[in-house]
């Protein structure tokens, strides 16, 4: 029998479920794990083969859509749902918003700000990975593919390019491309290391998702210095729920929500 996700003896403490998988989710989990006022847990989608251990009790796997998540929220008596998933995990975020609405569960999105183009950046903005393939053009190029493994298959449509493909886990099945080099690695990635990678492989275009945050910004900073084009896949419009931009803001919202009335300043 599976271990309970929440502390069955923690009666009276608000239960907080974090939909995780990001640096910010882990930071929030670390703070809540050391705060005796809350009973918190983390849920991971299971897209990474060997996720890092979490500082809170953790479940791995999907819920079965919005309805399944809604049932979980009710069954477990969740007092707050925190969507701290990846900025490009649009379906999970939509399901979270829908489940919160179905059940009346308060929800808070922890969304890191997107990157903004600055002086020296050569960005070509696109709305999808499929559009990024077309943006490379027909002439052969040397491309650094830094979008993870889930959507790398799109680039089979452009076999004329040479690819360096970085992902946390192997792409399965391997892409059927005549010139593709796979790199398995997880961030953070330092700018100086990214510059060395780009120069060593003579990269002239980077495909990236506008994930925001510092952990993977090194390639963007390196491209700026080297004058390399970045085909930037922009985020979709997020679910319309209350949101904050970092862990400290999330903690303050949580404190305000569950503070005794006398401490709320009202």
């Amino acid at each position: 029998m599976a271990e309970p996700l929440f502390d069955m003896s923690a009666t009276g403490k608000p239960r907080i479920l974090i939909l995780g998988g990001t640096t910010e989710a882990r930071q929030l989990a670390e703070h809540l794990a050391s705060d005796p006022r809350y009973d918190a847990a983390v849920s991971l989608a299971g897209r990474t083969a060997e996720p890092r251990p979490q500082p809170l009790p953790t479940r791995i796997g999907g819920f079965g859509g919005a309805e399944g998540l809604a049932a979980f929220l009710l069954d477990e008596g969740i007092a707050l749902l925190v969507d701290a998933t990846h900025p490009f995990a649009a379906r999970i975020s939509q399901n979270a918003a829908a489940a919160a609405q179905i059940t009346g569960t308060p929800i808070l999105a922890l969304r890191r700000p997107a990157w903004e183009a600055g002086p020296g950046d050569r960005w070509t903005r696109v709305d999808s990975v499929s559009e990024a393939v077309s943006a490379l053009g027909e002439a052969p190029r040397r491309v650094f593919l830094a979008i993870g493994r889930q959507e790398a298959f799109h680039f089979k449509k452009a076999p004329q390019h040479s690819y360096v493909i970085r992902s946390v886990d192997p792409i399965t099945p391997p892409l059927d491309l005549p010139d593709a080099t796979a790199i398995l690695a997880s961030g953070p990635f330092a700018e100086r290391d990214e510059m060395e990678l780009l120069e060593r492989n003579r990269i002239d275009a980077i495909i990236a998702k506008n994930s925001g945050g510092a952990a993977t910004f090194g390639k963007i900073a390196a491209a700026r210095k080297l004058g390399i084009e970045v085909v930037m896949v922009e985020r979709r419009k997020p679910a319309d729920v209350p949101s904050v931009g970092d862990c400290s803001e999330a903690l303050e919202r949580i404190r305000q929500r569950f503070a005794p009335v006398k401490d709320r300043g009202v």
Side-chain angles (χ1 to χ4, degrees), residues 7-48:
D7 183 357
M8 304 304 291
S9 65
T11 55
K13 294 183 180 182
R15 288 185 172 179
I16 300 174
L17 178 64
I18 303 170
L19 304 180
T22 60
T23 300
E24 292 78 13
R26 185 175 184 82
Q27 291 171 345
L28 181 60
E30 288 171 348
H31 281 89
L32 294 182
S34 60
D35 194 323
R37 293 174 293 179
Y38 312 113
D39 184 16
V42 174
S43 177
L44 301 177
R47 291 181 176 176
T48 301

mmCIF file of all heavy atoms in Angstrom, residues 7-48:
data_model
loop_
_atom_site.group_PDB
_atom_site.id
_atom_site.type_symbol
_atom_site.label_atom_id
_atom_site.label_comp_id
_atom_site.label_asym_id
_atom_site.label_seq_id
_atom_site.Cartn_x
_atom_site.Cartn_y
_atom_site.Cartn_z
ATOM 1 N N ASP A 7 0.604 14.241 5.852
ATOM 2 C CA ASP A 7 0.772 13.807 7.233
ATOM 3 C C ASP A 7 -0.607 13.636 7.863
ATOM 4 O O ASP A 7 -1.301 14.615 8.141
ATOM 5 C CB ASP A 7 1.595 14.846 7.998
ATOM 6 C CG ASP A 7 1.882 14.416 9.432
ATOM 7 O OD1 ASP A 7 1.390 13.350 9.850
ATOM 8 O OD2 ASP A 7 2.587 15.162 10.128
ATOM 9 N N MET A 8 -1.001 12.400 8.098
ATOM 10 C CA MET A 8 -2.336 12.123 8.608
ATOM 11 C C MET A 8 -2.527 12.643 10.031
ATOM 12 O O MET A 8 -3.653 12.826 10.489
ATOM 13 C CB MET A 8 -2.617 10.615 8.559
ATOM 14 C CG MET A 8 -2.456 10.004 7.165
ATOM 15 S SD MET A 8 -3.488 10.810 5.910
ATOM 16 C CE MET A 8 -5.110 10.289 6.452
ATOM 17 N N SER A 9 -1.433 12.919 10.719
ATOM 18 C CA SER A 9 -1.528 13.420 12.091
ATOM 19 C C SER A 9 -1.533 14.941 12.153
ATOM 20 O O SER A 9 -1.718 15.516 13.226
ATOM 21 C CB SER A 9 -0.367 12.890 12.936
ATOM 22 O OG SER A 9 0.872 13.398 12.464
ATOM 23 N N ALA A 10 -1.328 15.582 10.981
ATOM 24 C CA ALA A 10 -1.215 17.043 10.969
ATOM 25 C C ALA A 10 -2.594 17.686 10.869
ATOM 26 O O ALA A 10 -2.881 18.458 9.961
ATOM 27 C CB ALA A 10 -0.332 17.492 9.810
ATOM 28 N N THR A 11 -3.464 17.367 11.822
ATOM 29 C CA THR A 11 -4.821 17.904 11.794
ATOM 30 C C THR A 11 -4.804 19.407 12.059
ATOM 31 O O THR A 11 -4.050 19.901 12.886
ATOM 32 C CB THR A 11 -5.681 17.208 12.858
ATOM 33 O OG1 THR A 11 -5.044 17.336 14.138
ATOM 34 C CG2 THR A 11 -5.840 15.721 12.543
ATOM 35 N N GLY A 12 -5.659 20.100 11.327
ATOM 36 C CA GLY A 12 -5.754 21.540 11.506
ATOM 37 C C GLY A 12 -4.791 22.339 10.660
ATOM 38 O O GLY A 12 -4.947 23.562 10.534
ATOM 39 N N LYS A 13 -3.786 21.697 10.068
ATOM 40 C CA LYS A 13 -2.839 22.420 9.214
ATOM 41 C C LYS A 13 -3.363 22.457 7.784
ATOM 42 O O LYS A 13 -3.850 21.441 7.275
ATOM 43 C CB LYS A 13 -1.474 21.731 9.221
ATOM 44 C CG LYS A 13 -0.758 21.754 10.554
ATOM 45 C CD LYS A 13 0.617 21.108 10.435
ATOM 46 C CE LYS A 13 1.344 21.123 11.765
ATOM 47 N NZ LYS A 13 2.712 20.532 11.647
ATOM 48 N N PRO A 14 -3.284 23.601 7.118
ATOM 49 C CA PRO A 14 -3.735 23.657 5.723
ATOM 50 C C PRO A 14 -2.856 22.798 4.828
ATOM 51 O O PRO A 14 -1.622 22.837 4.922
ATOM 52 C CB PRO A 14 -3.610 25.139 5.367
ATOM 53 C CG PRO A 14 -2.644 25.697 6.348
ATOM 54 C CD PRO A 14 -2.803 24.897 7.604
ATOM 55 N N ARG A 15 -3.491 22.034 3.974
ATOM 56 C CA ARG A 15 -2.764 21.189 3.029
ATOM 57 C C ARG A 15 -2.503 21.954 1.739
ATOM 58 O O ARG A 15 -3.437 22.489 1.122
ATOM 59 C CB ARG A 15 -3.538 19.905 2.733
ATOM 60 C CG ARG A 15 -3.541 18.917 3.881
ATOM 61 C CD ARG A 15 -4.215 17.629 3.510
ATOM 62 N NE ARG A 15 -4.046 16.637 4.558
ATOM 63 C CZ ARG A 15 -4.546 15.406 4.521
ATOM 64 N NH1 ARG A 15 -5.246 15.013 3.449
ATOM 65 N NH2 ARG A 15 -4.333 14.560 5.505
ATOM 66 N N ILE A 16 -1.241 21.973 1.337
ATOM 67 C CA ILE A 16 -0.827 22.689 0.130
ATOM 68 C C ILE A 16 -0.236 21.683 -0.848
ATOM 69 O O ILE A 16 0.680 20.932 -0.495
ATOM 70 C CB ILE A 16 0.208 23.769 0.459
ATOM 71 C CG1 ILE A 16 -0.373 24.782 1.453
ATOM 72 C CG2 ILE A 16 0.689 24.473 -0.814
ATOM 73 C CD1 ILE A 16 0.630 25.795 1.952
ATOM 74 N N LEU A 17 -0.760 21.650 -2.058
ATOM 75 C CA LEU A 17 -0.222 20.783 -3.095
ATOM 76 C C LEU A 17 0.509 21.637 -4.119
ATOM 77 O O LEU A 17 -0.079 22.543 -4.713
ATOM 78 C CB LEU A 17 -1.321 19.985 -3.783
ATOM 79 C CG LEU A 17 -0.858 19.064 -4.926
ATOM 80 C CD1 LEU A 17 0.061 17.966 -4.394
ATOM 81 C CD2 LEU A 17 -2.052 18.460 -5.665
ATOM 82 N N ILE A 18 1.805 21.349 -4.329
ATOM 83 C CA ILE A 18 2.615 22.050 -5.312
ATOM 84 C C ILE A 18 2.740 21.179 -6.558
ATOM 85 O O ILE A 18 3.229 20.043 -6.483
ATOM 86 C CB ILE A 18 4.028 22.346 -4.765
ATOM 87 C CG1 ILE A 18 3.957 23.150 -3.470
ATOM 88 C CG2 ILE A 18 4.869 23.071 -5.810
ATOM 89 C CD1 ILE A 18 5.300 23.267 -2.766
ATOM 90 N N LEU A 19 2.282 21.685 -7.680
ATOM 91 C CA LEU A 19 2.560 21.021 -8.954
ATOM 92 C C LEU A 19 3.932 21.511 -9.387
ATOM 93 O O LEU A 19 4.101 22.682 -9.738
ATOM 94 C CB LEU A 19 1.491 21.374 -9.993
ATOM 95 C CG LEU A 19 0.041 21.063 -9.595
ATOM 96 C CD1 LEU A 19 -0.904 21.460 -10.726
ATOM 97 C CD2 LEU A 19 -0.134 19.595 -9.239
ATOM 98 N N GLY A 20 4.930 20.623 -9.340
ATOM 99 C CA GLY A 20 6.312 21.059 -9.448
ATOM 100 C C GLY A 20 7.004 20.683 -10.739
ATOM 101 O O GLY A 20 6.387 20.437 -11.764
ATOM 102 N N GLY A 21 8.335 20.672 -10.639
ATOM 103 C CA GLY A 21 9.170 20.371 -11.795
ATOM 104 C C GLY A 21 10.064 21.517 -12.193
ATOM 105 O O GLY A 21 10.760 21.436 -13.208
ATOM 106 N N THR A 22 10.064 22.604 -11.416
ATOM 107 C CA THR A 22 10.890 23.767 -11.722
ATOM 108 C C THR A 22 11.764 24.111 -10.525
ATOM 109 O O THR A 22 11.536 23.634 -9.408
ATOM 110 C CB THR A 22 10.023 24.997 -12.054
ATOM 111 O OG1 THR A 22 9.192 25.292 -10.913
ATOM 112 C CG2 THR A 22 9.154 24.752 -13.271
ATOM 113 N N THR A 23 12.755 24.966 -10.768
ATOM 114 C CA THR A 23 13.599 25.451 -9.678
ATOM 115 C C THR A 23 12.762 26.171 -8.638
ATOM 116 O O THR A 23 12.961 26.006 -7.421
ATOM 117 C CB THR A 23 14.668 26.410 -10.237
ATOM 118 O OG1 THR A 23 15.477 25.711 -11.186
ATOM 119 C CG2 THR A 23 15.548 26.957 -9.119
ATOM 120 N N GLU A 24 11.812 26.984 -9.101
ATOM 121 C CA GLU A 24 10.975 27.742 -8.177
ATOM 122 C C GLU A 24 10.116 26.817 -7.319
ATOM 123 O O GLU A 24 9.908 27.090 -6.125
ATOM 124 C CB GLU A 24 10.079 28.706 -8.964
ATOM 125 C CG GLU A 24 10.830 29.828 -9.645
ATOM 126 C CD GLU A 24 11.537 29.399 -10.926
ATOM 127 O OE1 GLU A 24 11.262 28.289 -11.433
ATOM 128 O OE2 GLU A 24 12.367 30.181 -11.419
ATOM 129 N N ALA A 25 9.620 25.739 -7.907
ATOM 130 C CA ALA A 25 8.826 24.786 -7.142
ATOM 131 C C ALA A 25 9.664 24.155 -6.036
ATOM 132 O O ALA A 25 9.202 23.967 -4.902
ATOM 133 C CB ALA A 25 8.272 23.702 -8.063
ATOM 134 N N ARG A 26 10.895 23.829 -6.361
ATOM 135 C CA ARG A 26 11.777 23.236 -5.359
ATOM 136 C C ARG A 26 12.099 24.231 -4.245
ATOM 137 O O ARG A 26 12.135 23.866 -3.074
ATOM 138 C CB ARG A 26 13.068 22.742 -6.022
ATOM 139 C CG ARG A 26 13.982 22.014 -5.056
ATOM 140 C CD ARG A 26 15.205 21.426 -5.733
ATOM 141 N NE ARG A 26 15.970 20.662 -4.757
ATOM 142 C CZ ARG A 26 15.699 19.419 -4.408
ATOM 143 N NH1 ARG A 26 14.683 18.789 -4.977
ATOM 144 N NH2 ARG A 26 16.423 18.798 -3.501
ATOM 145 N N GLN A 27 12.346 25.479 -4.612
ATOM 146 C CA GLN A 27 12.609 26.499 -3.596
ATOM 147 C C GLN A 27 11.422 26.645 -2.656
ATOM 148 O O GLN A 27 11.596 26.731 -1.431
ATOM 149 C CB GLN A 27 12.908 27.835 -4.279
ATOM 150 C CG GLN A 27 14.232 27.878 -5.027
ATOM 151 C CD GLN A 27 14.380 29.140 -5.871
ATOM 152 O OE1 GLN A 27 13.408 29.856 -6.121
ATOM 153 N NE2 GLN A 27 15.596 29.407 -6.308
ATOM 154 N N LEU A 28 10.226 26.669 -3.216
ATOM 155 C CA LEU A 28 9.030 26.780 -2.389
ATOM 156 C C LEU A 28 8.878 25.557 -1.494
ATOM 157 O O LEU A 28 8.553 25.683 -0.301
ATOM 158 C CB LEU A 28 7.798 26.934 -3.287
ATOM 159 C CG LEU A 28 6.458 27.097 -2.568
ATOM 160 C CD1 LEU A 28 6.453 28.328 -1.678
ATOM 161 C CD2 LEU A 28 5.316 27.169 -3.591
ATOM 162 N N ALA A 29 9.143 24.386 -2.034
ATOM 163 C CA ALA A 29 9.046 23.151 -1.251
ATOM 164 C C ALA A 29 10.031 23.167 -0.085
ATOM 165 O O ALA A 29 9.704 22.720 1.026
ATOM 166 C CB ALA A 29 9.297 21.943 -2.153
ATOM 167 N N GLU A 30 11.226 23.674 -0.328
ATOM 168 C CA GLU A 30 12.224 23.736 0.743
ATOM 169 C C GLU A 30 11.761 24.628 1.887
ATOM 170 O O GLU A 30 11.942 24.294 3.065
ATOM 171 C CB GLU A 30 13.563 24.241 0.180
ATOM 172 C CG GLU A 30 14.266 23.213 -0.700
ATOM 173 C CD GLU A 30 15.472 23.790 -1.417
ATOM 174 O OE1 GLU A 30 15.637 25.037 -1.415
ATOM 175 O OE2 GLU A 30 16.237 22.993 -2.003
ATOM 176 N N HIS A 31 11.147 25.757 1.549
ATOM 177 C CA HIS A 31 10.650 26.649 2.597
ATOM 178 C C HIS A 31 9.484 26.023 3.357
ATOM 179 O O HIS A 31 9.436 26.079 4.593
ATOM 180 C CB HIS A 31 10.209 27.982 1.982
ATOM 181 C CG HIS A 31 11.341 28.909 1.680
ATOM 182 N ND1 HIS A 31 12.010 28.894 0.474
ATOM 183 C CD2 HIS A 31 11.937 29.887 2.423
ATOM 184 C CE1 HIS A 31 12.950 29.822 0.484
ATOM 185 N NE2 HIS A 31 12.927 30.432 1.646
ATOM 186 N N LEU A 32 8.551 25.426 2.635
ATOM 187 C CA LEU A 32 7.383 24.853 3.299
ATOM 188 C C LEU A 32 7.744 23.613 4.113
ATOM 189 O O LEU A 32 7.097 23.316 5.123
ATOM 190 C CB LEU A 32 6.310 24.513 2.262
ATOM 191 C CG LEU A 32 5.698 25.710 1.528
ATOM 192 C CD1 LEU A 32 4.612 25.234 0.562
ATOM 193 C CD2 LEU A 32 5.124 26.724 2.504
ATOM 194 N N ALA A 33 8.781 22.897 3.675
ATOM 195 C CA ALA A 33 9.193 21.693 4.414
ATOM 196 C C ALA A 33 9.685 22.039 5.815
ATOM 197 O O ALA A 33 9.587 21.217 6.735
ATOM 198 C CB ALA A 33 10.289 20.960 3.642
ATOM 199 N N SER A 34 10.214 23.234 5.972
ATOM 200 C CA SER A 34 10.758 23.639 7.280
ATOM 201 C C SER A 34 9.791 24.523 8.062
ATOM 202 O O SER A 34 10.158 25.049 9.112
ATOM 203 C CB SER A 34 12.085 24.394 7.085
ATOM 204 O OG SER A 34 11.899 25.563 6.306
ATOM 205 N N ASP A 35 8.578 24.675 7.557
ATOM 206 C CA ASP A 35 7.592 25.528 8.231
ATOM 207 C C ASP A 35 6.509 24.654 8.852
ATOM 208 O O ASP A 35 5.723 24.020 8.128
ATOM 209 C CB ASP A 35 6.974 26.506 7.226
ATOM 210 C CG ASP A 35 6.210 27.627 7.902
ATOM 211 O OD1 ASP A 35 5.565 27.357 8.931
ATOM 212 O OD2 ASP A 35 6.258 28.766 7.407
ATOM 213 N N PRO A 36 6.440 24.579 10.163
ATOM 214 C CA PRO A 36 5.494 23.668 10.818
ATOM 215 C C PRO A 36 4.034 24.081 10.701
ATOM 216 O O PRO A 36 3.148 23.332 11.129
ATOM 217 C CB PRO A 36 5.956 23.704 12.280
ATOM 218 C CG PRO A 36 6.591 25.057 12.444
ATOM 219 C CD PRO A 36 7.246 25.344 11.119
ATOM 220 N N ARG A 37 3.762 25.251 10.110
ATOM 221 C CA ARG A 37 2.372 25.704 10.018
ATOM 222 C C ARG A 37 1.594 25.016 8.906
ATOM 223 O O ARG A 37 0.357 25.079 8.885
ATOM 224 C CB ARG A 37 2.337 27.220 9.781
ATOM 225 C CG ARG A 37 2.845 28.055 10.944
ATOM 226 C CD ARG A 37 2.919 29.525 10.567
ATOM 227 N NE ARG A 37 3.941 29.760 9.534
ATOM 228 C CZ ARG A 37 4.195 30.962 9.025
ATOM 229 N NH1 ARG A 37 3.490 32.012 9.429
ATOM 230 N NH2 ARG A 37 5.144 31.111 8.101
ATOM 231 N N TYR A 38 2.307 24.367 7.978
ATOM 232 C CA TYR A 38 1.638 23.823 6.792
ATOM 233 C C TYR A 38 1.934 22.332 6.622
ATOM 234 O O TYR A 38 2.971 21.828 7.058
ATOM 235 C CB TYR A 38 2.098 24.571 5.540
ATOM 236 C CG TYR A 38 2.062 26.078 5.685
ATOM 237 C CD1 TYR A 38 3.244 26.822 5.693
ATOM 238 C CD2 TYR A 38 0.851 26.749 5.837
ATOM 239 C CE1 TYR A 38 3.217 28.206 5.842
ATOM 240 C CE2 TYR A 38 0.816 28.133 5.985
ATOM 241 C CZ TYR A 38 1.999 28.850 5.989
ATOM 242 O OH TYR A 38 1.973 30.215 6.142
ATOM 243 N N ASP A 39 1.023 21.660 5.952
ATOM 244 C CA ASP A 39 1.204 20.263 5.549
ATOM 245 C C ASP A 39 1.240 20.272 4.018
ATOM 246 O O ASP A 39 0.198 20.411 3.379
ATOM 247 C CB ASP A 39 0.063 19.402 6.072
ATOM 248 C CG ASP A 39 0.248 17.921 5.769
ATOM 249 O OD1 ASP A 39 1.381 17.528 5.426
ATOM 250 O OD2 ASP A 39 -0.733 17.165 5.888
ATOM 251 N N ALA A 40 2.438 20.184 3.453
ATOM 252 C CA ALA A 40 2.604 20.374 2.008
ATOM 253 C C ALA A 40 3.181 19.136 1.341
ATOM 254 O O ALA A 40 3.851 18.315 1.982
ATOM 255 C CB ALA A 40 3.499 21.583 1.733
ATOM 256 N N ALA A 41 2.922 19.020 0.048
ATOM 257 C CA ALA A 41 3.449 17.919 -0.753
ATOM 258 C C ALA A 41 3.654 18.410 -2.177
ATOM 259 O O ALA A 41 3.145 19.452 -2.577
ATOM 260 C CB ALA A 41 2.495 16.725 -0.730
ATOM 261 N N VAL A 42 4.406 17.626 -2.943
ATOM 262 C CA VAL A 42 4.746 17.973 -4.325
ATOM 263 C C VAL A 42 4.232 16.890 -5.263
ATOM 264 O O VAL A 42 4.292 15.695 -4.940
ATOM 265 C CB VAL A 42 6.277 18.118 -4.495
ATOM 266 C CG1 VAL A 42 6.650 18.324 -5.964
ATOM 267 C CG2 VAL A 42 6.807 19.268 -3.650
ATOM 268 N N SER A 43 3.753 17.298 -6.421
ATOM 269 C CA SER A 43 3.393 16.356 -7.479
ATOM 270 C C SER A 43 4.225 16.662 -8.711
ATOM 271 O O SER A 43 4.315 17.823 -9.134
ATOM 272 C CB SER A 43 1.906 16.461 -7.819
ATOM 273 O OG SER A 43 1.579 15.583 -8.890
ATOM 274 N N LEU A 44 4.851 15.631 -9.282
ATOM 275 C CA LEU A 44 5.653 15.763 -10.494
ATOM 276 C C LEU A 44 4.988 14.985 -11.622
ATOM 277 O O LEU A 44 4.435 13.909 -11.397
ATOM 278 C CB LEU A 44 7.074 15.230 -10.270
ATOM 279 C CG LEU A 44 7.883 15.894 -9.154
ATOM 280 C CD1 LEU A 44 9.232 15.197 -9.006
ATOM 281 C CD2 LEU A 44 8.087 17.370 -9.421
ATOM 282 N N ALA A 45 5.085 15.525 -12.832
ATOM 283 C CA ALA A 45 4.410 14.890 -13.970
ATOM 284 C C ALA A 45 5.042 13.565 -14.356
ATOM 285 O O ALA A 45 4.401 12.722 -14.973
ATOM 286 C CB ALA A 45 4.411 15.839 -15.165
ATOM 287 N N GLY A 46 6.338 13.399 -14.065
ATOM 288 C CA GLY A 46 7.011 12.154 -14.400
ATOM 289 C C GLY A 46 7.658 12.149 -15.762
ATOM 290 O O GLY A 46 7.974 11.091 -16.311
ATOM 291 N N ARG A 47 7.913 13.328 -16.326
ATOM 292 C CA ARG A 47 8.519 13.391 -17.655
ATOM 293 C C ARG A 47 10.025 13.190 -17.608
ATOM 294 O O ARG A 47 10.640 12.901 -18.636
ATOM 295 C CB ARG A 47 8.188 14.739 -18.307
ATOM 296 C CG ARG A 47 6.710 14.875 -18.658
ATOM 297 C CD ARG A 47 6.408 16.199 -19.315
ATOM 298 N NE ARG A 47 5.011 16.288 -19.723
ATOM 299 C CZ ARG A 47 4.459 17.357 -20.252
ATOM 300 N NH1 ARG A 47 5.181 18.458 -20.427
ATOM 301 N NH2 ARG A 47 3.179 17.355 -20.595
ATOM 302 N N THR A 48 10.634 13.380 -16.450
ATOM 303 C CA THR A 48 12.064 13.144 -16.287
ATOM 304 C C THR A 48 12.273 11.777 -15.678
ATOM 305 O O THR A 48 11.615 11.420 -14.689
ATOM 306 C CB THR A 48 12.692 14.225 -15.382
ATOM 307 O OG1 THR A 48 12.470 15.508 -15.974
ATOM 308 C CG2 THR A 48 14.178 14.013 -15.218
#
